[in-house]
C-alpha cells in the first residue's frame, strides 16, 4: 500500500477547475507545487477535501498515474484536455483506481483523530477555542502527507460512496 496526501481545495470559479474530476487531473503552482513534488509519487493516493456549508468533506481521491512538470513535460501538458496547463506540477490519476464520491465523506474531528499522521488529537479539539471546522481547516490548508495506515483508513471509509 502507498502513502497518501491530503489536499484542501476550493472552487476557483469559472475558467479553472482544480481538481478536475472529469479528467482526474490536479495541478499546483509555486510553494504548493514544490511541497507536492516532495511528498507525492506514482501510486500515491491523493485525497481531496473542501468545505461545504459548515463542514469539511472528502469528495474524491486519485491514485497517481503520472506526475508532469512544467519545463520537462511541456508537450504532454500542452495536450491535456483541461485547464491544468497553467500549473507547475500536474498530477494525473489512474482511471481504474480513483473515485469521485457521490456521497462525500464527512471530514470531522471523529475522522481526523483517527488519522494519526495529522497529529490532531482529541485534546487538540478539547483545548481549541475554534469551531471544529476551523480547527480542522487551519492545519490542513497545506498539503499533508498521510501514512500508509491513514491512507488505508480513508480508502476503507470511501468504500460504497460513489
Amino acid at each position: 500500500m502507498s502513502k497518501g496526501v491530503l489536499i484542501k481545495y476550493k472552487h476557483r470559479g469559472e475558467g479553472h477547475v482544480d481538481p478536475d474530476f472529469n479528467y482526474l487531473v490536479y495541478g499546483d503552482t509555486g510553494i504548493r507545487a514544490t511541497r507536492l513534488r516532495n511528498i507525492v509519487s506514482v501510486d500515491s493516493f491523493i485525497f481531496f477535501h473542501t468545505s461545504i456549508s459548515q463542514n469539511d468533506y472528502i469528495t474524491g481521491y486519485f491514485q497517481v498515474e503520472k506526475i508532469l512538470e512544467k519545463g520537462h513535460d511541456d508537450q504532454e501538458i500542452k495536450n491535456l484536455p483541461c485547464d491544468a496547463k497553467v500549473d507547475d506540477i500536474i498530477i494525473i490519476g489512474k482511471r481504474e483506481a480513483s473515485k469521485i464520491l457521490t456521497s462525500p465523506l464527512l471530514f470531522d474531528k471523529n475522522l481526523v483523530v483517527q488519522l494519526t499522521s495529522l497529529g490532531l488529537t482529541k485534546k487538540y479539539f478539547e483545548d481549541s477555542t475554534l469551531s471544529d471546522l476551523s480547527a480542522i481547516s487551519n492545519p490542513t490548508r497545506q498539503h499533508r502527507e498521510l501514512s500508509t495506515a491513514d491512507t488505508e483508513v480513508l480508502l476503507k471509509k470511501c468504500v460504497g460512496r460513489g
Side-chain angles (χ1 to χ4, degrees), residues 63-78:
Q63 185 176 28
V64 177
E65 178 174 354
K66 233 181 239 188
I67 303 167
L68 305 175
E69 293 187 50
K70 191 179 270 183
H72 185 265
D73 302 298
D74 292 343
Q75 188 56 45
E76 194 167 353
I77 291 169
K78 180 181 174 188

Side-chain angles (χ1 to χ4, degrees), residues 18-155:
D18 211 358
D20 189 316
F21 290 121
N22 291 320
Y23 296 105
L24 301 178
V25 173
Y26 175 78
D28 230 322
T29 302
I31 294 169
R32 288 174 59 96
T34 301
R35 170 88 173 128
L36 189 57
R37 186 179 301 113
N38 291 331
I39 62 175
V40 74
S41 60
V42 171
D43 290 329
S44 294
F45 284 89
I46 299 178
F47 296 90
F48 298 99
H49 69 107
T50 192
S51 297
I52 302 171
S53 298
Q54 296 300 310
N55 292 300
D56 212 37
Y57 294 90
I58 293 179
T59 58
Y61 63 86
F62 298 169
Q63 185 176 28
V64 177
E65 178 174 354
K66 233 181 239 188
I67 303 167
L68 305 175
E69 293 187 50
K70 191 179 270 183
H72 185 265
D73 302 298
D74 292 343
Q75 188 56 45
E76 194 167 353
I77 291 169
K78 180 181 174 188
N79 293 327
L80 289 173
C82 59
D83 60 5
K85 299 171 194 174
V86 301
D87 292 308
D88 294 336
I89 188 168
I90 299 164
I91 306 297
I92 300 175
K94 292 180 180 180
R95 178 100 8 228
E96 67 281 355
S98 301
K99 183 181 278 191
I100 309 320
L101 304 182
T102 53
S103 176
L105 175 62
L106 182 62
F107 190 56
D108 64 356
K109 69 181 176 185
N110 296 321
L111 177 55
V112 168
V113 298
Q114 294 177 50
L115 305 176
T116 57
S117 52
L118 296 179
L120 303 177
T121 63
K122 287 183 181 179
K123 183 163 178 29
Y124 166 79
F125 287 99
E126 290 167 3
D127 293 348
S128 178
T129 58
L130 301 171
S131 69
D132 286 351
L133 178 61
S134 293
I136 292 168
S137 292
N138 290 345
T140 61
R141 272 197 183 98
Q142 297 300 316
H143 303 328
R144 296 292 302 267
E145 189 170 9
L146 299 171
S147 68
T148 300
D150 288 349
T151 300
E152 286 186 35
V153 166
L154 286 178
L155 287 172

